[in-house]
Amino acid sequence: MKKEEREEPRGLEPEEAEEDVEKLDDDDDDDDEVESFDGPWYRFPPMRNALISGALLLVGWLVERFTDAPGYVPIGVFVLAIAVGAYHWAKEGLEEFVEEREVGIEALMAFATVGAAILGEWFEAAFLAFLFAAAEATEEYTYARTRTAIRSLLDLAPETATRLLGGGREETVPARELEVGDLFLVRPGERVPTDGEIVRGASSLDESAVTGESVPVEKGEGGKVFAGTINATGSLEVRATTPFESNSLQKIIHLVEEAQGVKSRAQRWIDRFGNRYSPSVLVGALALLVVPPLLGGPFDTWAYRAVVLLVAAAPCALVMSTPVAIAAAIGRAGREGVLIKGGIHLENLAKVEVVAFDKTGTLTRGRPVVTDVVSRDGGGRGAVLRAAASVERLSEHPLARAIVDRAREEGVETAEARGFEALAGAGARAEVDGRTVHVGSPALFRDLGVSLGASPNGALGDEEVRRLQAEGKTVVLVGGEGGAEGLLALRDEPREEARRAVDELHRMGHGVVMLTGDNERTAKAIAGELGIEDVRADLKPEDKVEAVKELEREYGPAAMVGDGINDSPALATATVGMAMGTAGTDAAIEAADVALMGDEPGKAAYALKLARRSRGISVQNIVFSILILAVLIPGAVLGLIGIAFAVFAHEASELLAVANGLRAARRVA
């Protein structure tokens, strides 16, 4: 999606969202140099200039202190140090001042450098230019490394692919040349070059690069594969479904980089504060320069203090208090298969009090499986499964496919079925081994005149059926007009990791709720196994919207976790909408504020923990930055600190804020 078409971040005024988009577009050109840089830190242009400036500063200081050279020699070296060190940041400040009529931090530092030079404090002026250059270079390099960490995902996609031609022929081509519809071969141990669908073969694939899931996934014909994933065992023939330039890895990189430009409320507040604060600092410095001398104070003393104030009051650490933490957290999340679509959504995640989960496909696997096979006489499970699978292999119903899959897993061979007939809403029947076999609901067998309670051992009695149904299972009977020979119980089973995710959310202090369109009996059975007490069932899409609103009134900010398509109204209503299992699905990613690329509910808890840590780091930086200003500004006005100390304290605080912000990039336990 183009930036101009991006949905407005929820919670922002329209003009603010538009301002973010425009700023992001305006910054594209500025970011090109940083994004394209790939080399050692000392070759990074701003860092290289800072190192040269520092070397010249040292040379000038040594010449001034330990030689008898004329005074203009060390001054000339200091001037050169200033010119080299200030080249990048002074140019940026001048452009901002001239073109946008704004006084930024760079402009304050430029005025301070010029002021120190006018006062004859050449060493202090060069020291300021060097340290500010080093701090700015470190900041920019930090952002470059954050982007590089995400862009390194591209290295996971192989440069070449084995394209399959007619007649069993193969050719090796650049992966970029693969087009939608091309067939390509992925051998064991190779990486998938682009997104596609398996047309032949089965294998285990490591999808951690895209979905963040550490456990390999078994896939066969019809399964989706993603660029950069590793084929562990079998050979696969795959049909490309996505061009190389828009595959899953490219999508992750694009969304994460775009998200890092969408600001949080805290960032917006700091930006607005800075736009008013920096000009105020300049006015305050001018007042120190003019007013005290007019009242009889020594001009040199107050001019020096004015220069110190420009340095001491510059809000570098405050301005850097949140952007680094947010960019680092969003980048970390992207590498874990969690796409957070902007700072505003990361901020909202940290406020969430309750998490609502859709059931089908989110807490459960989204497909039924056979959980119980019971025969009439307590034995002969294989015969029951064979009869049922022989009939159902001709049906496309999800329950039928589950029965056939179970028979295949147990090695049960099916028989030929004749005269297959689907019984709408009840089941199916066909002739198997010369007799008519019915597979269907208990109601179907009652219509056939079969009394379930008449089973010799009670295994097929009404009580057993009710017990299985109370567990949220669908009961299917197998037999003929002479009676039921056995039953199968099927259910959409909970994901193995769902219970761990719910427990983790409870430990974090979040409320957990299930919102589902399924019937209440099934929903409560699943919820009971997962430890979810608040269950709201039989909900239509519009009912889920109302349920989310009610949760927000009851608990506070709510996150909704769903499949991103069927649950899109509820996702859009919640404070934070989280779409799960969205790898390769553009519509699902568009529907939510947070896209969980894999099918792991635990990623929701991961995103919440990451957001909490990011917010904590940002608050630490803001408090620290304000305390630094509270100490330096009075010290500058009262003449208690000099230019060198102010520069050192100012740049050290900025670097500490950056270093602390980078902690958000660490893996969350």
Side-chain angles (χ1 to χ4, degrees), residues 280-313 632-639:
S280 300
V281 171
L282 183 58
V283 171
L286 290 174
L288 278 184
L289 181 66
V290 174
V291 176
L294 289 178
L295 298 177
F299 177 80
D300 289 349
T301 298
W302 289 102
Y304 186 83
R305 293 185 185 183
V307 172
V308 177
L309 180 63
L310 286 174
V311 178
L632 293 183
I633 292 175
V637 174
L638 297 174

Side-chain angles (χ1 to χ4, degrees), residues 154-380:
L154 283 180
D155 296 335
L156 299 178
E159 295 183 358
T160 61
T162 303
R163 185 158 57 191
L164 299 176
L165 306 175
R169 293 178 297 130
E170 302 176 2
E171 66 172 348
T172 301
V173 298
R176 292 182 177 275
E177 293 185 6
L178 288 176
E179 299 178 355
V180 175
D182 282 352
L183 290 177
F184 58 88
L185 179 68
V186 185
R187 296 182 176 88
E190 292 183 344
R191 292 186 181 271
V192 178
T194 193
D195 297 356
E197 181 179 342
I198 299 173
V199 296
R200 182 177 300 173
S203 182
S204 175
L205 290 106
D206 177 359
E207 298 185 340
S208 57
V210 176
T211 67
E213 295 180 8
S214 57
V215 180
V217 181
E218 299 291 334
K219 295 194 176 184
E221 293 182 12
K224 293 182 179 180
V225 296
F226 308 113
T229 57
I230 303 173
N231 180 23
T233 53
S235 182
L236 299 176
E237 291 184 19
V238 182
R239 177 180 292 107
T241 57
T242 307
F244 181 88
E245 61 271 12
S246 58
N247 63 38
S248 297
L249 293 180
Q250 297 277 8
K251 189 187 305 175
I252 291 173
I253 293 166
H254 171 74
L255 286 174
V256 170
E257 290 184 339
E258 191 174 68
Q260 288 174 339
V262 179
K263 299 178 181 179
S264 68
R265 292 184 182 89
Q267 284 178 277
R268 290 178 173 280
W269 179 86
I270 290 172
D271 286 347
R272 288 194 294 269
F273 174 79
N275 290 338
R276 294 168 175 78
Y277 174 80
S278 295
S280 300
V281 171
L282 183 58
V283 171
L286 290 174
L288 278 184
L289 181 66
V290 174
V291 176
L294 289 178
L295 298 177
F299 177 80
D300 289 349
T301 298
W302 289 102
Y304 186 83
R305 293 185 185 183
V307 172
V308 177
L309 180 63
L310 286 174
V311 178
C316 284
L318 182 61
V319 169
M320 290 307 303
S321 59
T322 58
V324 171
I326 287 175
I330 290 175
R332 173 80 261 174
R335 296 197 297 277
E336 298 292 335
V338 178
L339 302 186
I340 302 172
K341 295 167 62 177
I344 184 68
H345 305 305
L346 183 69
E347 187 177 67
N348 286 338
L349 273 171
K351 301 175 182 177
V352 166
E353 297 291 340
V354 60
V355 181
F357 284 95
D358 172 50
K359 180 182 75 69
T360 305
T362 303
L363 293 173
T364 65
R365 299 194 175 280
R367 55 182 177 81
V369 295
V370 176
T371 60
D372 302 85
V373 181
V374 180
S375 68
R376 179 182 179 86
D377 56 5

Side-chain angles (χ1 to χ4, degrees), residues 42 56 74 77 79 95 104 119-120 163 272 291 306-307 364 367 379 403 453 459 494 500 508 608 615 651:
Y42 52 83
L56 290 171
V77 178
V79 169
E95 291 174 354
L119 293 175
R163 185 158 57 191
R272 288 194 294 269
V291 176
V307 172
T364 65
R367 55 182 177 81
I403 293 171
R500 294 194 298 270
M508 293 169 63
L608 292 169
R615 180 178 63 177
E651 304 312 328

Side-chain angles (χ1 to χ4, degrees), residues 469-507:
Q469 289 176 336
E471 295 176 0
K473 299 175 181 178
T474 298
V475 175
V476 175
L477 299 180
V478 183
E481 295 181 358
E485 300 166 7
L487 68 76
L488 305 172
L490 302 94
R491 189 174 69 170
D492 182 9
E493 288 288 89
R495 297 179 183 276
E496 295 177 4
E497 60 276 14
R499 179 60 192 246
R500 294 194 298 270
V502 172
D503 290 344
E504 181 65 23
L505 289 169
H506 281 148
R507 282 194 296 270

